[in-house]
Amino acid sequence: MVLPVFCVRAMLVGGLLVAAVGLSTVEEGTSQAAFTSSDDELEFAAIKAIHWHLDDNADGTVDVSESDKFVHTELHEVSEEKSHRFHEKNQAITSEDLWRTWHQNKVFQWTNDDVIFWLEGYVELPQYSEVFRKHNITGRVLPSVANNTRQILQTVLQITDGQHRQKIQLRAMDVVLFGPPNAGYFSYWKDAVLVLSSTLCLLGLLYALRQRQVAQSRIDTFLENIRVYEKELSELKEKLEQQEECDGSGGESSPEDLTLSLPESEETLSDVSLRLDSEHDSLQQAREAVETLQRRVSDLEAQLRDSHASHSALQSLLQASYCREWEHLNH
């Protein structure tokens, strides 16, 4: 199996890194690099190794053609915009130039959250987010990640998949050299999550409004039915009162009525008997109607309780009214 060019070069860089860490001066003819800590030394060694990786002819500088080759063959990008922007101020970049450019790179200021966002959205390997967070990998560490300095990907980050390591190294080298990814591409996942969240919120709001409308419609229907039944009960009550008044006025006989002739008395008694029977039937039907209405109202009350409608005051009033009607009928 033939190893990729990137992997072969990364293996060759290992020996260079060991020697570069101990250097106190840079290449001949350049000023001494000002290191403030051992981390700076490792960082400079990593930058120097990245420069060596791009310097195909080993002349100590990286020109436009060498940058274009890296973009085309390793990043697999057709556009030459990155390399031209990289050489905007200097056509032949030394390791010291690259070191100074790195400190002006926005990626140099990335926090751990920025790196994780890059790992998830640009590298598309979110499964390593927790380990990057655990070891507080910031933008300043990305040159070491790009070169896998001291086997950081295997020994520290515990990334065992070789293809994943190569992808992380390549993407890290990309941002170290050319800066943050294109804003549109880099924000793709953020925008997608934002759109999805907004859509879900809107759908939830519409569903809640629809459910509220349905519940309000059911409540209005129940209240309308109750008003109809109240009206029927009121009319029935009036009829019963009229019937009782008729019974009271026709129940007593004056002395003059006793002087009526026998045929007339028999005819009057017959009419009274028929009328009493008719009134008894009407009263019985009225009682049955009241019972039916009470059952219907009870059913409506049960439905109102199921729909959580707060109409307890009206229900209590109706129940008291029905009880009085029932007592009145029984008397």
Side-chain angles (χ1 to χ4, degrees):
M1 178 179 178
V2 179
L3 292 175
V5 175
F6 180 79
C7 294
V8 173
R9 291 194 173 190
M11 294 172 61
L12 295 175
V13 167
L16 177 62
L17 289 176
V18 176
V21 172
L23 291 177
S24 59
T25 59
V26 295
E27 295 178 351
E28 184 177 358
T30 62
S31 60
Q32 186 176 9
F35 297 122
T36 58
S37 68
S38 58
D39 291 339
D40 286 339
E41 295 178 1
L42 288 174
E43 187 179 334
F44 178 75
I47 291 294
K48 191 176 180 68
I50 292 175
H51 182 273
W52 183 86
H53 179 78
L54 269 66
D55 187 10
D56 291 333
N57 57 10
D59 64 350
T61 62
V62 176
D63 56 29
V64 177
S65 62
E66 291 171 329
S67 298
D68 285 340
K69 181 179 178 182
F70 172 77
V71 171
H72 295 329
T73 60
E74 299 194 33
L75 297 183
H76 304 290
E77 295 184 14
V78 178
S79 174
E80 297 178 352
E81 179 184 357
K82 284 185 176 181
S83 58
H84 289 175
R85 187 173 66 248
F86 184 55
H87 290 277
E88 183 177 1
K89 297 181 179 180
N90 195 341
Q91 297 298 311
I93 298 176
T94 65
S95 58
E96 287 72 30
D97 295 332
L98 185 58
W99 172 254
R100 287 189 293 268
T101 302
W102 164 238
H103 283 77
Q104 298 172 0
N105 192 332
K106 292 181 179 180
V107 178
F108 181 80
Q109 303 294 336
W110 273 5
T111 64
N112 178 247
D113 289 335
D114 294 329
V115 172
I116 291 175
F117 188 56
W118 161 81
L119 180 68
E120 295 176 350
Y122 186 62
V123 186
E124 298 179 348
L125 291 175
Q127 61 268 40
Y128 301 114
S129 298
E130 289 303 320
V131 69
F132 269 65
R133 189 183 305 278
K134 177 182 178 182
H135 294 284
N136 192 32
I137 304 299
T138 62
R140 295 193 61 173
V141 185
L142 288 183
S144 297
V145 172
N147 287 284
N148 198 17
T149 305
R150 296 182 178 177
Q151 302 293 305
I152 183 176
L153 294 174
Q154 296 97 313
T155 59
V156 178
L157 300 179
Q158 299 294 317
I159 300 176
T160 58
D161 190 308
Q163 292 183 346
H164 288 180
R165 289 198 302 268
Q166 182 180 353
K167 186 176 183 180
I168 292 173
Q169 286 182 256
L170 195 59
R171 293 300 183 185
M173 188 174 295
D174 183 7
V175 295
V176 168
L177 290 172
F178 307 116
N182 180 273
Y185 184 91
F186 193 46
S187 62
Y188 171 77
W189 288 106
K190 182 179 180 180
D191 293 342
V193 171
L194 181 61
V195 170
L196 179 60
S197 300
S198 301
T199 302
L200 292 177
C201 290
L202 180 60
L203 291 176
L205 179 60
L206 293 176
Y207 177 77
L209 290 176
R210 177 58 181 168
Q211 290 297 106
R212 182 178 182 276
Q213 292 175 354
V214 171
Q216 187 63 43
S217 177
R218 292 180 61 187
I219 291 173
D220 293 341
T221 302
F222 294 153
L223 293 176
E224 182 63 27
N225 291 336
I226 288 177
R227 285 191 288 268
V228 171
Y229 296 147
E230 283 181 334
K231 184 178 179 180
E232 292 179 0
L233 283 173
S234 179
E235 293 174 354
L236 183 58
K237 180 180 179 181
E238 293 177 0
K239 291 180 180 179
L240 289 174
E241 290 176 352
Q242 293 174 1
Q243 189 69 36
E244 289 176 354
E245 291 176 358
C246 292
D247 291 343
S249 61
E252 297 179 355
S253 298
S254 62
E256 290 79 3
D257 294 337
L258 298 176
T259 62
L260 294 174
S261 61
L262 182 59
E264 291 176 350
S265 299
E266 289 179 353
E267 183 178 359
T268 301
L269 290 173
S270 177
D271 292 340
V272 170
S273 176
L274 291 174
R275 183 167 57 81
L276 289 175
D277 290 340
S278 177
E279 292 174 354
H280 177 74
D281 292 339
S282 298
L283 185 60
Q284 183 65 28
Q285 292 177 359
R287 288 178 176 175
E288 292 176 355
V290 169
E291 292 176 355
T292 301
L293 287 174
Q294 286 179 333
R295 286 194 297 270
R296 294 173 68 182
V297 169
S298 298
D299 293 340
L300 283 174
E301 290 174 349
Q303 293 179 12
L304 282 173
R305 285 193 299 271
D306 293 339
S307 62
H308 304 287
S310 58
H311 302 288
S312 58
L314 179 59
Q315 293 174 0
S316 301
L317 181 60
L318 289 175
Q319 289 176 353
S321 176
Y322 301 152
C323 291
R324 285 196 297 270
E325 289 290 336
W326 182 255
E327 291 175 359
H328 179 72
L329 292 175
N330 288 334
H331 289 315

